[in-house]
């Protein structure tokens, strides 16, 4: 993920990652940074918590595809909002990166589906430590609209750090199309991502 000093970094002004995390350190680039992640991703979990009894971390949703970097780690991986907070902390953000209390600055409609899929995503979001999963307590399928919260970290002299928190969504790419009723057109997700790249074109590239 672009460590400062890479020869290509001066050519990049905006970055986007989807359903991804950072194992060791946040990237130090000053480029505008977009992180899109489903809260109920059980392939690349949205966040990790700490188990004091074993001194290891565990995921918000137990991984259905088992990676070496998913369970029983002696550190907490940076994913989702925590990854965003860690990147922003290198740009002047002084808030808590582990438990951010930033309110969404807006919402987007990126995902199209149904009650059944929402129920399935909650059902499949299991905890390695407890049943039912405490992580699910903050989410409800009463409104299975999969609204995406837009969270922006306050930073200084650098590109923005933005989270698209796709509530109750899994690891699949967002699927709602511009003309959903006809099933045609680009997906809102890639259209909005293109808009993000365009609006941050030429801003805050790394110059050494």
């Amino acid at each position: 993920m672009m460590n400062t000093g890479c020869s290509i970094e001066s050519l990049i002004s905006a970055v986007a990652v989807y359903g991804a995390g950072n194992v060791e350190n946040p990237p130090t680039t000053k480029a505008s940074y977009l992180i899109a992640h489903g809260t109920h991703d059980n392939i690349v979990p949205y966040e990790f918590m700490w188990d004091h009894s074993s001194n290891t971390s565990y995921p918000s949703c137990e991984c259905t595809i088992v990676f070496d970097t998913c369970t029983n780690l002696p550190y907490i991986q940076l994913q989702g909002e925590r990854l965003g907070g860690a990147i922003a902390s290198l740009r002047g953000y002084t808030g808590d990166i582990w438990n951010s209390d930033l309110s969404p600055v807006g919402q987007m409609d990126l995902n199209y589906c149904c009650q059944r899929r929402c129920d399935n995503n909650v059902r499949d979001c299991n905890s390695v430590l407890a049943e039912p999963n405490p992580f699910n307590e903050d989410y409800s399928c009463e409104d299975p609209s999969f609204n995406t919260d837009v969270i922006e970290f306050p930073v200084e002299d650098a590109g923005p750090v933005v989270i698209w928190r796709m509530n109750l969504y899994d690891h699949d790419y967002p699927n709602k199309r511009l003309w959903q009723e006809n099933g045609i057109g680009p997906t809102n997700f890639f259209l909005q991502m293109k808009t993000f790249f365009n609006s941050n074109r030429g801003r805050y590239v790394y110059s050494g």
Side-chain angles (χ1 to χ4, degrees):
M1 277 195 183
M2 293 202 328
N3 290 316
T4 296
C6 290
S7 59
I8 196 175
E9 191 160 350
S10 62
L11 305 176
I12 297 174
S13 61
V15 180
V17 295
Y18 181 80
N22 188 275
V23 175
E24 297 178 354
N25 301 300
T28 55
T29 175
K30 299 297 184 182
S32 304
Y33 215 99
L34 171 64
I35 300 168
H37 209 141
T39 60
H40 283 62
D41 189 333
N42 57 10
I43 294 178
V44 181
Y46 186 74
E47 66 181 31
F48 281 79
M49 284 75 75
W50 189 252
D51 176 25
H52 292 280
S53 64
S54 64
N55 283 327
T56 59
S57 63
Y58 64 97
S60 49
C61 295
E62 184 177 3
C63 297
T64 55
I65 300 177
V66 179
F67 300 102
D68 292 339
T69 56
C70 192
T71 56
N72 299 320
L73 296 174
Y75 55 87
I76 294 179
Q77 292 194 70
L78 299 172
Q79 317 269 97
E81 290 170 65
R82 291 174 177 174
L83 175 57
I87 296 171
S89 70
L90 301 176
R91 308 179 181 199
Y93 173 64
T94 58
D96 186 353
I97 72 169
W98 302 109
N99 296 289
S100 168
D101 59 356
L102 295 175
S103 298
V105 297
Q107 283 194 326
M108 293 189 297
D109 188 12
L110 303 181
N111 299 298
Y112 175 77
C113 198
C114 51
Q115 181 75 49
R116 182 175 63 182
R117 181 163 187 174
C118 186
D119 291 338
N120 288 345
N121 287 350
V122 172
R123 180 201 65 197
D124 294 339
C125 181
N126 299 307
S127 170
V128 297
L129 295 181
E131 184 63 38
N133 187 354
F135 180 75
N136 286 324
E137 294 176 0
D138 294 330
Y139 299 93
S140 171
C141 285
E142 291 182 6
D143 177 20
S145 56
F146 299 115
N147 285 331
T148 296
D149 292 326
V150 179
I151 300 170
E152 184 165 343
F153 288 86
V155 298
E156 301 173 358
D157 299 322
V161 179
V162 179
I163 309 294
W164 290 354
R165 182 177 63 198
M166 298 181 293
N167 296 308
L168 292 161
Y169 207 66
D170 50 32
H171 191 69
D172 289 352
Y173 276 120
N175 59 355
K176 188 160 190 178
R177 296 187 177 277
L178 186 59
W179 298 289
Q180 182 62 45
E181 63 276 9
N182 298 319
I184 60 174
T187 61
N188 290 348
F189 172 71
F190 285 106
L191 184 63
Q192 291 297 328
M193 184 183 294
K194 184 176 181 179
T195 300
F196 176 83
F197 283 138
N198 186 64
S199 62
N200 289 287
R201 184 170 54 186
R203 295 178 64 185
Y204 297 108
V205 295
Y206 176 72
S207 57

